Amino acid sequence: MKINLSLKVKERLRKKYQEEREKRLRPDGNEQYLELKDQLAYFLDDPYMEIAERKPIKDDVQFTFVGGGFAGLVVGARLSEVGLKSIRIVEKGSDFGGTWYWNRYPGAQCDTASMVYMPLLEETGHMPTEKYVHGPEILEHCQRIGQQYGLYDDALFQTQVVDVEWLEEQQRWLIKTNRDDEFTSQFIGMGTGPLHVPKLPGIPGIETFNGHSFHTSRWDYAYTGGTPGNSELENLKNKRVAVIGTGATAVQCVPHLSKSCKELFVFQRTPSSIDVRNNQAIDPSWFEKISEPGWQQKWLDNFTANQTGGEASEDLVKDGWTEISRRVREKVMDLSKENRIPEKMWEAYEDADLEKMSEIRDRVDSIVNDSETGEGLKAWYGQLCKRPCFHDEYLQSFNNASTHLVHTDGKGVERITEKGVVFDGEEVPVDCIIFASGFEVGTPLQRRTGFDPKGKSRKKLSDHWSDGMRTFHGLQIADFPNSFIVQATQGANLISNYPSNLSDSAKTIASIIAHMLKTESRVVEVETEAEEKWVQLIMSGPGAMLGSQDCTPGYYNNEGIDPGPSRKSFAGYPFGPVAFFNYISEWRNSGDFVGLNFR
Ligand code: NDP
């Protein structure tokens, strides 16, 4: 039910949000987390597949892509369409899938509608089975793309790139890996993903725990029982289990743990906002009707327009993401024409958000029986301060007598002992601790990728970016010829549908390479001035540090700490995703490739 808030209530809410933020701000920011190395390195081991021995590779390929998730797959697919013959994807996992290879926790499911989230649906002819499909179907889709475009032929799995350098004389990249491979490549692409290095909370005593523990991105089904497709975790029925963290991952796996464990303790520092999911099976006859040629691009454009305040006469996806913008748009439309000024528009945005979050908090009351638990599960911040969550079983789990919320009210877990988890001086003995504690975001890029490319002038990428990220279109870098980074920032920065950014970049890369094949060019370089102008344009906008001043800390806002020059790596195209997609499609279709030099 929609609500209208009085001025007094809004004032009270603003104050409450500030208080909740203050409670959580801490000077150590990203430093509060532990890097998984040395005695914690085993948390990174692949539980899904044994490491296979193989001989080192020494050869030459046309295109190397670091990362076999959606980025590598969509780029590989588009390159094979333009006729590139040798494409090598190097991937640390044992198969394609990236985030969907690693994250196999029970209940894993896409949070953005499958029709727009899953890339290349039209090209592969796959119909998603649900509005929000589950992990195994997405992983299978990744494998389908790999097979259809022949990307398995030259792929190197269980392999991490350790060094990358441009050899100007040969006009090639030299690539070295942790499996002693040493090969050259005309082009390199990098799509290592924004969230692929798991982190642990720096809780005192974490290394002393004598029970079993793992991170959600390395789910130990051998311990819990069940499989990613069958989340009945039969081995937990006699176990006391703690989950640490209540972000989007915990929201999806807690309902399954709640059904399976003897006792489940959910340690919460900050509650997530949990809106309605309303997942449904996709009806094949409906899908057949809508899937005329070009349907997926139409859905993508429609989602982006609806979700980011663009113009659209209908809302095809119609979900919690598009609702966020629809509500803001309605508030703005209520303003008289002369009142459509930034200050009033911000007020309209804030009104829509305060109302929505109040509804989300009311939803907790309508679901959770115990009022104290319900109070603890209410999120006191703007909906986009943290990743919005949508689920129809998470809050309900807390009505299960064996599921206990340990609400630490912003303080976090106090200590971990040999036997269990301590909060407020009370030890909760458990058999297993599951860390739903997320992934490294604000740490140095080289720490996350494991390599620091050396460009034409022998300068490292970390030096080129010593004053913050610098790119042309978020995709190419001056002094790094024949290279592409496939990610969202300094480009569309469409957070609500990350794969959309990647799919669009894949098209841009394919047009540049098609042009080079046609004109027999061997090297493409970004003009230094073009890069400089692009960075200036990006920084002239508001940046994408969503409400960093008012939001409760988290990885969306660098844990509430001003990132300094790194701010550049949070920002997107100042005029929004729709404008960026239009701009870049015109740029690549013109065939002029202004800002690039070919030789
Ligand atoms: P998050 O970083 O969102 O969550 C980590 C959790 O750990 C937070 O609740 C955090 O609390 C908590 N935490 C950290 N330190 C402590 C501590 N000392 N004591 C207690 N709790 C602590 O990680 P997730 O894996 O949940 O999600 C990461 C991202 O992955 C999502 O934001 C989303 O982008 C993506 N994702 C996408 C999904 C999808 O599309 N289907 C599904 C799952 C994840 P606090 O909030 O206070 O920092």
Side-chain angles (χ1 to χ4, degrees):
M1 202 188 48
K2 273 204 178 178
I3 44 180
N4 271 311
L5 302 172
S6 68
L7 278 175
K8 217 159 121 199
V9 171
K10 284 188 221 167
E11 205 36 61
R12 222 174 48 223
L13 286 174
R14 284 188 202 109
K15 193 160 163 270
K16 170 83 173 156
Y17 285 14
Q18 272 304 326
E19 286 165 5
E20 294 293 325
R21 168 182 153 85
E22 297 296 322
K23 268 187 210 169
R24 292 168 172 83
L25 276 177
R26 37 192 292 172
D28 50 359
N30 282 313
E31 296 300 314
Q32 68 180 284
Y33 296 105
L34 296 176
E35 188 178 0
L36 297 181
K37 58 179 188 185
D38 307 329
Q39 88 252 44
L40 295 175
Y42 72 92
F43 272 96
L44 295 174
D45 290 349
D46 183 343
Y48 315 122
M49 224 134 2
E50 294 281 316
I51 299 289
E53 286 309 312
R54 66 166 175 81
K55 287 202 177 111
I57 306 273
K58 318 260 170 193
D59 62 2
D60 178 69
V61 292
Q62 278 179 299
F63 202 109
T64 299
F65 200 92
V66 188
F70 279 162
L73 290 167
V74 291
V75 170
R78 294 297 180 213
L79 289 177
S80 98
E81 280 175 355
V82 298
L84 224 61
K85 293 278 174 279
S86 81
I87 302 163
R88 170 167 295 153
I89 295 181
V90 184
E91 164 56 47
K92 69 179 172 181
S94 308
D95 200 341
F96 291 129
T99 211
W100 296 102
Y101 175 84
W102 296 108
N103 287 280
R104 302 188 190 195
Y105 58 82
Q109 182 183 15
C110 61
D111 252 344
T112 302
S114 327
M115 298 283 281
V116 290
Y117 182 79
M118 295 171 84
L120 301 170
L121 284 177
E122 202 173 332
E123 290 79 351
T124 54
H126 178 69
M127 179 198 86
T129 58
E130 299 171 279
K131 182 161 182 181
Y132 305 93
V133 294
H134 284 77
E137 183 170 335
I138 307 179
L139 180 56
E140 227 177 83
H141 186 59
C142 292
Q143 293 160 345
R144 177 179 301 114
I145 297 170
Q147 266 144 14
Q148 178 164 328
Y149 292 94
L151 302 175
Y152 278 96
D153 300 350
D154 231 339
L156 296 178
F157 295 114
Q158 304 185 328
T159 304
Q160 279 182 269
V161 169
V162 294
D163 198 28
V164 166
E165 81 177 276
W166 175 252
L167 308 175
E168 178 59 16
E169 256 178 46
Q170 280 121 293
Q171 299 185 329
R172 283 279 187 283
W173 286 98
L174 174 65
I175 296 152
K176 297 181 186 167
T177 78
N178 65 341
R179 307 293 293 266
D180 291 331
D181 308 306
E182 211 173 306
F183 55 90
T184 49
S185 177
Q186 185 180 0
F187 299 97
I188 189 164
M190 291 164 270
T192 47
L195 298 160
H196 75 112
V197 179
K199 68 186 184 203
L200 290 186
I203 300 169
I206 195 166
E207 68 296 339
T208 63
F209 182 59
N210 269 342
H212 197 71
S213 62
F214 56 88
H215 187 273
T216 46
S217 66
R218 304 287 188 276
W219 194 272
D220 190 350
Y221 281 102
Y223 178 83
T224 63
T227 62
N230 161 26
S231 23
E232 215 172 286
L233 310 167
E234 68 277 358
N235 299 350
L236 296 183
K237 64 176 186 285
N238 296 317
K239 300 273 194 275
R240 289 165 61 88
V241 174
V243 170
I244 297 183
T246 50
T249 299
V251 167
Q252 292 187 333
C253 68
V254 158
H256 300 278
L257 289 165
S258 172
K259 282 182 205 144
S260 306
C261 299
K262 183 177 168 206
E263 299 278 336
L264 176 67
F265 300 87
V266 181
F267 287 86
Q268 172 184 267
R269 190 163 69 175
T270 308
S272 284
S273 70
I274 320 286
D275 204 356
V276 176
R277 172 73 308 163
N278 197 15
N279 193 18
Q280 286 153 20
I282 288 186
D283 174 0
S285 59
W286 170 82
F287 184 78
E288 206 186 316
K289 266 190 240 135
I290 66 106
S291 51
E292 77 281 9
W295 76 264
Q296 199 178 22
Q297 193 55 48
K298 178 175 146 195
W299 275 64
L300 284 166
D301 293 344
N302 183 266
F303 177 79
T304 312
N306 275 293
Q307 211 284 305
T308 64
E311 278 175 37
S313 55
E314 56 181 338
D315 181 354
L316 294 170
V317 165
K318 226 169 191 238
D319 72 351
W321 285 110
T322 57
E323 193 205 4
I324 297 173
S325 308
R326 183 171 49 74
R327 294 171 73 120
V328 175
R329 210 164 33 235
E330 280 169 9
K331 290 272 176 205
V332 171
M333 294 315 279
D334 285 348
L335 294 172
S336 60
K337 276 225 165 89
E338 60 276 17
N339 266 334
R340 290 189 198 160
I341 53 173
E343 192 192 338
K344 293 281 175 200
M345 308 256 274
W346 166 247
E347 272 174 31
Y349 171 84
E350 195 204 20
D351 275 2
D353 190 62
L354 289 173
E355 286 170 16
K356 180 70 214 179
M357 286 302 284
S358 297
E359 287 171 30
I360 288 178
R361 286 187 291 269
D362 287 354
R363 181 168 183 254
V364 178
D365 285 332
S366 72
I367 292 173
V368 179
N369 298 335
D370 178 68
S371 57
E372 197 187 328
T373 307
E375 277 313 302
L377 288 164
K378 291 181 183 171
W380 299 100
Y381 47 80
Q383 197 180 11
L384 293 178
C385 282
K386 282 185 174 271
R387 167 70 182 233
C389 295
F390 307 90
H391 213 284
D392 296 337
E393 286 171 76
Y394 175 74
L395 294 170
Q396 289 78 350
S397 304
F398 295 93
N399 291 336
N400 184 348
S402 58
T403 298
H404 316 280
L405 177 72
V406 185
H407 177 44
T408 70
D409 198 17
K411 298 182 196 74
V413 168
E414 190 176 302
R415 207 154 26 91
I416 290 180
T417 63
E418 283 181 20
K419 288 201 212 114
V421 185
V422 181
F423 175 66
D424 213 9
E426 197 183 317
E427 183 184 65
V428 178
V430 289
D431 301 294
C432 175
I433 302 177
I434 300 174
F435 291 100
S437 46
F439 304 86
E440 290 195 16
V441 175
T443 53
L445 181 66
Q446 290 66 36
R447 169 166 144 179
R448 282 175 281 139
T449 57
F451 62 95
D452 195 358
K454 224 183 264 163
K456 187 172 142 190
S457 66
R458 319 295 303 144
K459 219 160 98 179
K460 289 182 175 163
L461 184 59
S462 57
D463 292 328
H464 187 65
W465 285 359
S466 59
D467 194 30
M469 184 176 178
R470 309 181 55 77
T471 69
F472 182 53
H473 297 158
L475 183 67
Q476 288 173 277
I477 308 164
D479 197 44
F480 291 77
N482 288 9
S483 72
F484 304 92
I485 48 166
V486 181
Q487 50 88 52
T489 58
Q490 300 197 355
N493 212 18
L494 179 63
I495 305 294
S496 55
N497 190 18
Y498 202 81
S500 227
N501 303 277
L502 313 176
S503 298
D504 198 73
S505 290
K507 287 186 183 166
T508 307
I509 296 173
S511 355
I512 294 170
I513 302 239
H515 175 79
M516 291 177 75
L517 291 173
K518 205 167 85 193
T519 55
E520 295 184 1
S521 322
R522 289 168 60 83
V523 179
V524 56
E525 286 179 281
V526 173
E527 290 166 6
T528 311
E529 308 77 57
E531 183 183 82
E532 176 56 27
K533 260 171 103 180
W534 187 259
V535 175
Q536 277 178 20
L537 174 68
I538 294 295
M539 295 320 287
S540 67
M545 295 282 289
L546 296 163
S548 57
Q549 297 311 308
D550 309 309
C551 280
T552 188
Y555 80 85
Y556 270 21
N557 64 357
N558 200 43
E559 301 296 334
I561 290 177
D562 188 333
S566 301
R567 194 181 180 87
K568 294 195 185 86
S569 56
F570 286 85
Y573 191 61
F575 314 110
V578 172
F580 178 80
F581 288 138
N582 287 338
Y583 158 78
I584 200 74
S585 121
E586 249 175 63
W587 179 87
R588 66 176 173 247
N589 292 336
S590 76
D592 297 334
F593 301 104
V594 174
L596 301 185
N597 281 326
F598 296 91
R599 57 182 159 99

